[in-house]
Amino acid sequence: MKAISAIEIRNFLPHRAPMLMVDLITNISEDYVETTFCIPEDCIFIAKKRLAEAGLIENAAQTCAAIVAQNYFTPEKTDVKVIGFIGGIKKLTIKALPLANQTLVSKAKLISKMHTEDFTLCLIACEVFAENKLLLETQMNLFIKEQ
């Protein structure tokens, strides 16, 4: 799949408000994705005007899932429903928590993938930034399946 830009994350993930933690995919290819998310003040993961650790991890997971979830969609098959979950977090470093109204830029790269007829397992590395400051680094295993 060639790189495309500025598409709705809702096309690749089942998440909806209040659990949707990504606004747009700004760049995506077979093994890389970049997303943005402007943190609303009423986000369910806000604590003391900052996005909690769980919110950062959920943003990273949704960003990572977009790489693999895109493979379930084709020009003929656009109304696809996928489910996914974090199978495990291999590495995780949280350096800072962003404030409400800041915009996260998340960048993920596929490390490995196993695709079967029924599901996909993958290992993906992700970094999350706000105002060019690294907030989170992680490697996580994801399980993705068409519903």
mmCIF file of all heavy atoms in Angstrom, residues 28-46:
data_model
loop_
_atom_site.group_PDB
_atom_site.id
_atom_site.type_symbol
_atom_site.label_atom_id
_atom_site.label_comp_id
_atom_site.label_asym_id
_atom_site.label_seq_id
_atom_site.Cartn_x
_atom_site.Cartn_y
_atom_site.Cartn_z
ATOM 1 N N ILE A 28 0.602 7.247 6.573
ATOM 2 C CA ILE A 28 0.509 5.801 6.813
ATOM 3 C C ILE A 28 1.064 5.055 5.611
ATOM 4 O O ILE A 28 0.895 5.469 4.463
ATOM 5 C CB ILE A 28 -0.947 5.355 7.119
ATOM 6 C CG1 ILE A 28 -0.979 3.916 7.645
ATOM 7 C CG2 ILE A 28 -1.851 5.565 5.928
ATOM 8 C CD1 ILE A 28 -2.310 3.515 8.271
ATOM 9 N N SER A 29 1.770 3.962 5.912
ATOM 10 C CA SER A 29 2.264 3.045 4.885
ATOM 11 C C SER A 29 2.123 1.637 5.443
ATOM 12 O O SER A 29 1.516 1.442 6.495
ATOM 13 C CB SER A 29 3.716 3.372 4.523
ATOM 14 O OG SER A 29 4.567 3.087 5.618
ATOM 15 N N GLU A 30 2.698 0.655 4.771
ATOM 16 C CA GLU A 30 2.601 -0.739 5.233
ATOM 17 C C GLU A 30 3.211 -0.964 6.611
ATOM 18 O O GLU A 30 2.776 -1.843 7.350
ATOM 19 C CB GLU A 30 3.275 -1.683 4.230
ATOM 20 C CG GLU A 30 2.417 -2.003 3.036
ATOM 21 C CD GLU A 30 1.185 -2.813 3.398
ATOM 22 O OE1 GLU A 30 1.280 -3.760 4.204
ATOM 23 O OE2 GLU A 30 0.114 -2.488 2.882
ATOM 24 N N ASP A 31 4.238 -0.180 6.956
ATOM 25 C CA ASP A 31 4.938 -0.448 8.217
ATOM 26 C C ASP A 31 5.161 0.786 9.087
ATOM 27 O O ASP A 31 5.937 0.757 10.028
ATOM 28 C CB ASP A 31 6.277 -1.130 7.939
ATOM 29 C CG ASP A 31 7.242 -0.258 7.154
ATOM 30 O OD1 ASP A 31 6.857 0.837 6.715
ATOM 31 O OD2 ASP A 31 8.399 -0.684 6.982
ATOM 32 N N TYR A 32 4.461 1.885 8.787
ATOM 33 C CA TYR A 32 4.674 3.119 9.543
ATOM 34 C C TYR A 32 3.378 3.926 9.576
ATOM 35 O O TYR A 32 2.612 3.935 8.614
ATOM 36 C CB TYR A 32 5.772 3.956 8.875
ATOM 37 C CG TYR A 32 6.078 5.243 9.594
ATOM 38 C CD1 TYR A 32 6.879 5.250 10.729
ATOM 39 C CD2 TYR A 32 5.558 6.446 9.150
ATOM 40 C CE1 TYR A 32 7.164 6.428 11.397
ATOM 41 C CE2 TYR A 32 5.832 7.632 9.811
ATOM 42 C CZ TYR A 32 6.639 7.617 10.931
ATOM 43 O OH TYR A 32 6.906 8.786 11.595
ATOM 44 N N VAL A 33 3.160 4.622 10.693
ATOM 45 C CA VAL A 33 2.002 5.507 10.794
ATOM 46 C C VAL A 33 2.345 6.683 11.707
ATOM 47 O O VAL A 33 3.122 6.538 12.652
ATOM 48 C CB VAL A 33 0.748 4.767 11.309
ATOM 49 C CG1 VAL A 33 0.896 4.323 12.751
ATOM 50 C CG2 VAL A 33 -0.509 5.608 11.153
ATOM 51 N N GLU A 34 1.782 7.839 11.379
ATOM 52 C CA GLU A 34 1.828 9.015 12.246
ATOM 53 C C GLU A 34 0.399 9.480 12.462
ATOM 54 O O GLU A 34 -0.391 9.498 11.519
ATOM 55 C CB GLU A 34 2.617 10.159 11.609
ATOM 56 C CG GLU A 34 4.099 9.946 11.595
ATOM 57 C CD GLU A 34 4.852 11.158 11.043
ATOM 58 O OE1 GLU A 34 4.370 12.307 11.165
ATOM 59 O OE2 GLU A 34 5.929 10.931 10.486
ATOM 60 N N THR A 35 0.081 9.853 13.696
ATOM 61 C CA THR A 35 -1.259 10.335 14.015
ATOM 62 C C THR A 35 -1.168 11.603 14.854
ATOM 63 O O THR A 35 -0.110 11.904 15.427
ATOM 64 C CB THR A 35 -2.070 9.288 14.807
ATOM 65 O OG1 THR A 35 -1.465 9.094 16.090
ATOM 66 C CG2 THR A 35 -2.173 7.977 14.059
ATOM 67 N N THR A 36 -2.293 12.308 14.941
ATOM 68 C CA THR A 36 -2.398 13.456 15.837
ATOM 69 C C THR A 36 -3.631 13.289 16.717
ATOM 70 O O THR A 36 -4.603 12.623 16.341
ATOM 71 C CB THR A 36 -2.506 14.790 15.073
ATOM 72 O OG1 THR A 36 -3.671 14.770 14.264
ATOM 73 C CG2 THR A 36 -1.272 15.040 14.222
ATOM 74 N N PHE A 37 -3.562 13.913 17.878
ATOM 75 C CA PHE A 37 -4.692 13.918 18.800
ATOM 76 C C PHE A 37 -4.609 15.166 19.656
ATOM 77 O O PHE A 37 -3.655 15.353 20.411
ATOM 78 C CB PHE A 37 -4.672 12.677 19.706
ATOM 79 C CG PHE A 37 -5.791 12.639 20.721
ATOM 80 C CD1 PHE A 37 -7.116 12.599 20.324
ATOM 81 C CD2 PHE A 37 -5.516 12.622 22.079
ATOM 82 C CE1 PHE A 37 -8.147 12.559 21.244
ATOM 83 C CE2 PHE A 37 -6.532 12.578 23.016
ATOM 84 C CZ PHE A 37 -7.857 12.546 22.603
ATOM 85 N N CYS A 38 -5.602 16.045 19.533
ATOM 86 C CA CYS A 38 -5.705 17.224 20.392
ATOM 87 C C CYS A 38 -6.486 16.802 21.634
ATOM 88 O O CYS A 38 -7.649 16.388 21.539
ATOM 89 C CB CYS A 38 -6.396 18.373 19.670
ATOM 90 S SG CYS A 38 -6.444 19.863 20.679
ATOM 91 N N ILE A 39 -5.858 16.882 22.781
ATOM 92 C CA ILE A 39 -6.428 16.368 24.027
ATOM 93 C C ILE A 39 -7.533 17.313 24.530
ATOM 94 O O ILE A 39 -7.236 18.436 24.934
ATOM 95 C CB ILE A 39 -5.347 16.229 25.114
ATOM 96 C CG1 ILE A 39 -4.184 15.384 24.614
ATOM 97 C CG2 ILE A 39 -5.944 15.662 26.395
ATOM 98 C CD1 ILE A 39 -2.920 15.526 25.450
ATOM 99 N N PRO A 40 -8.781 16.874 24.501
ATOM 100 C CA PRO A 40 -9.850 17.756 24.994
ATOM 101 C C PRO A 40 -9.838 17.842 26.520
ATOM 102 O O PRO A 40 -9.435 16.900 27.210
ATOM 103 C CB PRO A 40 -11.127 17.075 24.496
ATOM 104 C CG PRO A 40 -10.763 15.651 24.301
ATOM 105 C CD PRO A 40 -9.296 15.610 23.980
ATOM 106 N N GLU A 41 -10.295 18.965 27.025
ATOM 107 C CA GLU A 41 -10.330 19.150 28.481
ATOM 108 C C GLU A 41 -11.239 18.136 29.170
ATOM 109 O O GLU A 41 -11.015 17.791 30.322
ATOM 110 C CB GLU A 41 -10.797 20.570 28.817
ATOM 111 C CG GLU A 41 -9.768 21.617 28.473
ATOM 112 C CD GLU A 41 -10.230 23.031 28.819
ATOM 113 O OE1 GLU A 41 -11.245 23.185 29.522
ATOM 114 O OE2 GLU A 41 -9.556 23.967 28.376
ATOM 115 N N ASP A 42 -12.257 17.648 28.448
ATOM 116 C CA ASP A 42 -13.192 16.695 29.054
ATOM 117 C C ASP A 42 -12.837 15.238 28.740
ATOM 118 O O ASP A 42 -13.657 14.341 28.946
ATOM 119 C CB ASP A 42 -14.625 16.998 28.626
ATOM 120 C CG ASP A 42 -14.836 16.832 27.125
ATOM 121 O OD1 ASP A 42 -13.846 16.685 26.378
ATOM 122 O OD2 ASP A 42 -16.008 16.859 26.694
ATOM 123 N N CYS A 43 -11.619 14.993 28.292
ATOM 124 C CA CYS A 43 -11.156 13.628 28.006
ATOM 125 C C CYS A 43 -11.287 12.778 29.268
ATOM 126 O O CYS A 43 -10.964 13.230 30.376
ATOM 127 C CB CYS A 43 -9.697 13.667 27.531
ATOM 128 S SG CYS A 43 -8.984 12.042 27.249
ATOM 129 N N ILE A 44 -11.748 11.536 29.098
ATOM 130 C CA ILE A 44 -11.944 10.675 30.274
ATOM 131 C C ILE A 44 -10.629 10.306 30.966
ATOM 132 O O ILE A 44 -10.641 9.849 32.093
ATOM 133 C CB ILE A 44 -12.732 9.393 29.927
ATOM 134 C CG1 ILE A 44 -11.975 8.527 28.936
ATOM 135 C CG2 ILE A 44 -14.104 9.737 29.406
ATOM 136 C CD1 ILE A 44 -12.601 7.162 28.752
ATOM 137 N N PHE A 45 -9.508 10.528 30.289
ATOM 138 C CA PHE A 45 -8.201 10.220 30.877
ATOM 139 C C PHE A 45 -7.518 11.449 31.483
ATOM 140 O O PHE A 45 -6.339 11.388 31.830
ATOM 141 C CB PHE A 45 -7.282 9.583 29.827
ATOM 142 C CG PHE A 45 -7.714 8.216 29.393
ATOM 143 C CD1 PHE A 45 -8.233 8.005 28.128
ATOM 144 C CD2 PHE A 45 -7.615 7.128 30.247
ATOM 145 C CE1 PHE A 45 -8.624 6.748 27.710
ATOM 146 C CE2 PHE A 45 -8.014 5.858 29.846
ATOM 147 C CZ PHE A 45 -8.520 5.671 28.571
ATOM 148 N N ILE A 46 -8.223 12.561 31.616
ATOM 149 C CA ILE A 46 -7.632 13.765 32.212
ATOM 150 C C ILE A 46 -7.709 13.672 33.730
ATOM 151 O O ILE A 46 -8.752 13.353 34.297
ATOM 152 C CB ILE A 46 -8.354 15.052 31.738
ATOM 153 C CG1 ILE A 46 -8.086 15.306 30.263
ATOM 154 C CG2 ILE A 46 -7.952 16.268 32.575
ATOM 155 C CD1 ILE A 46 -6.669 15.727 29.938
#
